[in-house]
Amino acid sequence: MKKLLYVLAAGVLISCQTQSENTDMQTDNPFYQEWDTPYGVPPFGQIKNKHYSPAFEDGMAQHLKEVEAIAGNPDAPTFDNTIEAFEKSGDLLNKVSNVFFTLTGAHTNDSIQAIQKEISPLLSAHNDNIFLNSDFFDRVKALYEDRENLVLTIEQNKLLENYYNRFIRSGAALDKEQKARMREINERISVLQVQFGENVLKEENKFELLLEEDQLDGLPENVKTAGAEAAAEKGYEGKYLFTTHRPSLYPFITYSENRELRKQLKMGYIMRGDNGGELDNKEILREIVNLRLEKANMLGFDTHADYALQDRMLNTPDNVYDLLDKVWPAAIEAAKKERDLMKAMSVEEGLDIDIMPWDWWYYAEKIKVRDYSLDESEISPYLMVDNVINGSFILANKLFGLTFEEQTNIPKYHPDVRTYTVKNENGELVGIYLSDWFYRSSKRGGAWMSNIREQSNMDGNEVIPIIYNVGNFNKPTADKPSLLSMDQALTLFHEFGHALHGLLSECTYPSISGTATPRDFVEFPSQVMENWVFEPEMLAQYAFHYETGEVMPDDLVQKIRKAGTFNQGFGTVEYMAASYLDMAYHTITEPLAMDINQFEDAAMNEIGLIDAIVPRYRSTYFRHITGGYSAGYYSYLNSEIMDADAFAAFKENGLFDETTANAFREHILSRGGTMDAMEMYVNFRGRKPSYEGLLERRGFN
């Protein structure tokens, strides 16, 4: 059973079409064919936009027939004829979904967006047709209630539990009228989610700050060059273009001496989806939040957060707030001290300004240079993207014995994509890895990992995963390669950590393999990989100057370590502010009637957020919470508690200690979601983690 069904919202009942009888169309459509490609990677070059809709329609029809056969089986339910049969169903739907949703994030266009709008409510309805099927639920329920008498593996027990809970949480136990309303809610949410994300992408691509040469004071030459090339690409000869895409935004607001221009660009970023007109997201968010509340109430929960958290490590809103409230006081105090340092610097420069969000990056860089002799532009020449990628591969080899061999014959969906075979320490193929790190306008913002095929091993049929990473780093310019910032290097290792979680999976069933873990655990295996990035032993492996080839000098490494806790107040506060905002929306007990901006302001005032910092994601571009991270953005903090504690084991035993790495692989990376998350952690570390390690690492105690 494809993991996609675990994240799709459900919707109204549709009349599924039978498989198309147009054999000519099927012959021409790659989704109906066996893929004679290296390692079964989709033949992206042969797939056209016209191929998606018929494959989706036929895929849903075929899948529903398989489900109806399972539900209507006259034999008594068994794990094999019910649960495992469902895991094996939906081949065509999985095939088209995996390709299509790769492209909706990484390489979309108007046609794909139109198909996404059309297909999302249909997929939602298809999902409901499965998880509101009373006959199917009765079989799953019978197995679940008799589970103590069944001879099941640990993984099978977890899978059965997951499916039973999924049916209950989808509304399978509701009456006919309630089920009809549930379908309506789910269909509407699926439509709104697509619209929200599309609006954010359009806003990002719409904003332009077009400048003359005399407006570039303070910008390094590589930033000017990137601005000139971006302008030329759009036909603005002799101009310099800067946008709200992060690779353009952050260098500008870090170095530009023109405060008004920094403000214009930063405001363009924080006002996405909040400018009125057809791309405004305020009412879309309100409707999503209110529909989620209605759905939660129908299922017997007081709030959407109560519903969403039921199957997570921190399984109640009180537990989430308890975590946030433990860290927040120290974080906001540290951020205030950082702000006061910046205020003092502005006074020294004769400005005496109140520090605002468009000032923070600018003065943070100045303070790093003054107090730590650390200049980001001094570091980035050692962080050429190819070297950092190679560094992530070196780490995977040292810890887990993996080797990544770049291939030229594997299909790719865009020329920027690089493709690799991944082999273990015995030279055995364990997966295929695709990386797509450079910004383009057809890609949504941010960075992520996903899969085109999950790892599984049912009936001895071992299926290797196809995993990909996506980012938005600047492309090489005419005279310089792509050089990463420190933050971007951390991002690359973070997302690569997710990739390793998918590649090293050793599970039987696809729906609980790889990264199919509780939302507040899944970030742990990725965040822990960030810890190695600036360790001296690791830097010596990959941080070579792009011009001289010399390794990063010791004095620069020491500067990085000395400044390690600087600006941690800001980073923690902007993240936690968004986490509090997420929880505020999803702990309401009455429909939200207040203006969205007023609600956001009230939530931020309640926690005492300072004016100098805005939440990492404001309401109108908070794509995490309109998607799978609703009442879950706190997850990064929960995962960081585990990652700080886990990395301490490596520090204690050796940065590349084989025994510790093997334990991490065995108990965490290979297990997917086959066991209770805390049990997996305790099996690795021997005890539960403590949050004090996080405070110490961030310099808060």
Side-chain angles (χ1 to χ4, degrees):
M1 171 61 189
K2 174 73 175 77
K3 281 185 279 185
L4 171 67
L5 293 177
Y6 279 82
V7 296
L8 287 172
V12 296
L13 180 65
I14 62 169
S15 176
C16 286
Q17 301 177 3
T18 59
Q19 184 176 352
S20 172
E21 296 179 358
N22 187 336
T23 56
D24 289 340
M25 178 196 70
Q26 292 186 6
T27 301
D28 179 58
N29 191 326
F31 291 115
Y32 295 95
Q33 304 164 9
E34 289 295 322
W35 290 341
D36 184 21
T37 57
Y39 314 105
V41 174
F44 291 107
Q46 299 173 26
I47 298 170
K48 310 300 180 188
N49 290 340
K50 67 180 182 179
H51 295 144
Y52 292 115
S53 291
F56 267 121
E57 291 169 5
D58 289 347
M60 286 185 284
Q62 289 179 18
H63 194 205
L64 197 58
K65 282 185 178 180
E66 293 170 319
V67 168
E68 289 169 346
I70 296 169
N73 189 338
D75 296 336
T78 65
F79 185 89
D80 289 345
N81 71 18
T82 302
I83 303 300
E84 189 161 308
F86 188 44
E87 284 285 302
K88 294 176 180 177
S89 67
D91 282 349
L92 177 58
L93 182 57
N94 292 341
K95 206 172 183 181
V96 63
S97 297
N98 290 340
V99 173
F100 183 75
F101 289 106
T102 295
L103 296 183
T104 58
H107 192 39
T108 191
N109 54 45
D110 290 343
S111 177
I112 287 176
Q113 290 175 354
I115 296 168
Q116 188 178 12
K117 284 182 179 178
E118 171 194 333
I119 208 68
S120 290
L122 302 184
L123 287 168
S124 175
H126 177 69
N127 199 44
D128 275 342
N129 289 336
I130 295 170
F131 289 101
L132 294 178
N133 184 315
S134 297
D135 292 335
F136 194 2
F137 174 54
D138 287 343
R139 295 179 69 85
V140 175
K141 182 180 180 183
L143 290 170
Y144 182 75
E145 291 177 344
D146 191 42
R147 64 192 182 281
E148 292 184 4
N149 298 317
L150 303 177
V151 182
L152 301 177
T153 66
I154 293 174
E155 186 172 348
Q156 289 172 332
N157 265 306
K158 189 67 168 72
L159 189 62
L160 174 58
E161 177 188 336
N162 284 356
Y163 275 130
Y164 175 76
N165 289 337
R166 179 63 195 275
F167 273 98
I168 293 294
R169 290 165 59 78
S170 296
L174 299 176
D175 62 34
K176 184 177 180 180
E177 189 174 301
Q178 289 173 316
K179 285 182 178 179
R181 177 56 184 156
M182 184 67 73
R183 292 176 182 275
E184 292 173 356
I185 291 172
N186 290 334
E187 180 195 23
R188 182 60 180 160
I189 289 176
S190 73
V191 171
L192 293 170
Q193 288 172 325
V194 172
Q195 187 62 55
F196 188 97
E198 190 174 301
N199 286 350
V200 176
L201 181 60
K202 287 180 178 177
E203 287 268 67
E204 287 172 341
N205 289 332
K206 179 180 177 183
F207 185 93
E208 296 181 345
L209 182 65
L210 199 60
L211 303 179
E212 303 287 347
E213 189 167 1
D214 60 4
Q215 296 174 294
L216 307 180
D217 291 349
L219 298 184
E221 285 305 314
N222 65 312
V223 178
K224 293 180 183 179
T225 300
E229 291 186 356
E233 233 178 73
K234 291 209 169 184
Y236 302 130
E237 296 299 333
K239 306 282 188 179
Y240 298 83
L241 177 63
F242 299 92
T243 71
T244 58
H245 294 281
R246 291 185 178 190
S248 179
L249 167 73
Y250 287 120
F252 189 90
I253 62 174
T254 297
Y255 294 109
S256 174
E257 297 175 0
N258 190 316
R259 190 178 188 227
E260 179 57 33
L261 293 179
R262 294 200 310 268
K263 179 179 179 180
Q264 287 182 36
L265 192 56
K266 182 65 174 179
M267 288 299 294
Y269 180 81
I270 66 177
M271 290 300 291
R272 291 173 299 164
D274 190 17
N275 293 303
E278 63 180 5
L279 300 182
D280 196 279
N281 272 335
K282 291 192 288 293
E283 292 309 311
I284 292 176
L285 179 59
R286 182 203 309 280
E287 190 174 354
I288 290 175
V289 167
N290 288 339
L291 287 171
R292 283 175 173 162
L293 174 61
E294 182 183 352
K295 178 177 176 177
N297 291 164
M298 287 175 63
L299 294 169
F301 297 92
D302 292 335
T303 70
H304 173 73
D306 287 291
Y307 165 79
L309 292 166
Q310 186 187 40
D311 59 355
R312 296 182 187 160
M313 295 184 74
L314 303 187
N315 56 4
T316 69
D318 285 345
N319 289 339
V320 174
Y321 278 118
D322 182 58
L323 170 63
L324 296 176
D325 291 346
K326 282 177 178 175
V327 179
W328 179 258
I332 192 67
E333 186 62 29
K336 288 177 179 177
K337 291 178 180 177
E338 292 164 0
R339 176 202 58 191
D340 293 345
L341 280 174
M342 296 175 187
K343 169 73 172 177
M345 176 172 277
S346 77
V347 171
E348 291 173 11
E349 294 181 344
L351 294 178
D352 193 12
I353 57 173
D354 290 328
I355 300 299
M356 297 301 288
W358 42 91
D359 299 314
W360 197 287
W361 286 71
Y362 178 73
Y363 282 104
E365 181 65 17
K366 279 178 167 282
I367 290 171
K368 278 197 297 185
V369 172
R370 184 192 68 184
D371 295 351
Y372 302 97
S373 300
L374 186 64
D375 186 343
E376 184 80 49
S377 63
E378 189 181 356
I379 298 167
S380 60
Y382 294 93
L383 299 178
M384 184 173 71
V385 68
D386 286 349
N387 288 347
V388 180
I389 291 170
N390 191 47
S392 69
F393 294 165
I394 290 171
L395 181 58
N397 180 261
K398 284 183 168 291
L399 294 179
F400 310 118
L402 298 182
T403 55
F404 290 72
E405 300 174 9
E406 187 163 9
Q407 307 295 332
T408 58
N409 64 335
I410 296 176
K412 54 182 72 176
Y413 58 82
H414 189 276
D416 288 347
V417 176
R418 298 171 68 176
T419 56
Y420 304 83
T421 51
V422 186
K423 296 180 181 178
N424 64 17
E425 60 273 28
N426 298 319
E428 301 162 332
L429 186 69
V430 298
I432 304 301
Y433 175 64
L434 287 69
S435 67
D436 179 14
W437 290 116
F438 294 128
Y439 160 76
R440 55 180 172 270
S441 61
S442 63
K443 183 189 291 185
R444 68 175 170 86
W448 63 95
M449 164 270 176
S450 192
N451 60 66
I452 296 172
R453 185 174 68 212
E454 305 98 332
Q455 177 273 331
S456 65
N457 191 12
M458 292 186 286
D459 298 330
N461 179 28
E462 188 170 353
V463 176
I464 64 168
I466 302 173
I467 304 297
Y468 63 89
N469 277 147
V470 182
N472 275 280
F473 305 144
N474 275 327
K475 286 187 174 183
T477 63
D479 59 352
K480 273 190 180 179
S482 176
L483 303 178
L484 302 186
S485 66
M486 294 171 64
D487 185 63
Q488 287 173 327
L490 291 169
T491 295
L492 190 149
F493 271 70
H494 175 102
E495 298 305 335
F496 184 69
H498 281 305
L500 291 177
H501 199 181
L503 289 165
L504 291 174
S505 176
E506 296 178 8
C507 304
T508 304
Y509 302 102
S511 70
I512 52 175
S513 73
T515 58
T517 71
R519 182 66 70 186
D520 50 2
F521 181 83
V522 73
E523 296 298 336
F524 159 50
S526 57
Q527 287 184 200
V528 76
M529 301 307 291
E530 297 181 31
N531 289 281
W532 276 268
V533 179
F534 294 113
E535 286 290 326
E537 292 172 76
M538 191 66 220
L539 286 167
Q541 302 291 322
Y542 77 91
F544 306 108
H545 196 284
Y546 79 97
E547 288 179 316
T548 66
E550 295 177 355
V551 70
M552 185 180 289
D554 289 342
D555 64 333
L556 187 53
V557 174
Q558 292 309 313
K559 289 176 185 178
I560 293 173
R561 293 177 68 78
K562 183 181 176 183
T565 59
F566 173 70
N567 216 31
Q568 287 294 316
F570 168 80
T572 308
V573 163
E574 67 153 6
Y575 159 74
M576 290 189 67
S579 301
Y580 276 111
L581 182 59
D582 168 30
M583 291 300 293
Y585 278 117
H586 294 117
T587 52
I588 59 171
T589 56
E590 298 291 336
L592 180 60
M594 184 187 298
D595 174 79
I596 289 295
N597 286 338
Q598 290 178 351
F599 182 87
E600 180 180 303
D601 289 343
M604 296 300 94
N605 288 336
E606 184 175 349
I607 62 172
L609 182 65
I610 57 179
D611 290 340
I613 301 177
V614 293
R616 183 170 296 177
Y617 297 100
R618 287 193 58 236
S619 303
T620 53
Y621 53 89
F622 205 164
R623 282 178 286 206
H624 286 78
I625 65 168
T626 57
Y629 276 81
S630 61
Y633 195 61
Y634 76 89
S635 299
Y636 293 89
L637 188 64
N638 189 57
S639 292
E640 189 174 353
I641 289 172
M642 291 181 283
D643 111 56
D645 188 68
F647 187 64
F650 283 96
K651 294 289 282 186
E652 293 161 8
N653 301 320
L655 204 58
F656 307 112
D657 180 64
E658 183 177 350
T659 301
T660 308
N662 286 341
F664 187 73
R665 177 176 182 170
E666 177 186 353
H667 296 299
I668 305 296
L669 298 180
S670 71
R671 298 289 183 180
T674 60
M675 297 173 62
D676 173 78
M678 185 55 76
E679 185 180 351
M680 288 194 288
Y681 187 85
V682 172
N683 288 343
F684 160 64
R685 193 67 168 105
R687 56 171 173 74
K688 292 183 178 180
S690 170
Y691 79 95
E692 280 82 3
L694 180 147
L695 297 181
E696 181 179 351
R697 184 167 70 180
R698 296 205 168 205
F700 294 164
N701 59 7

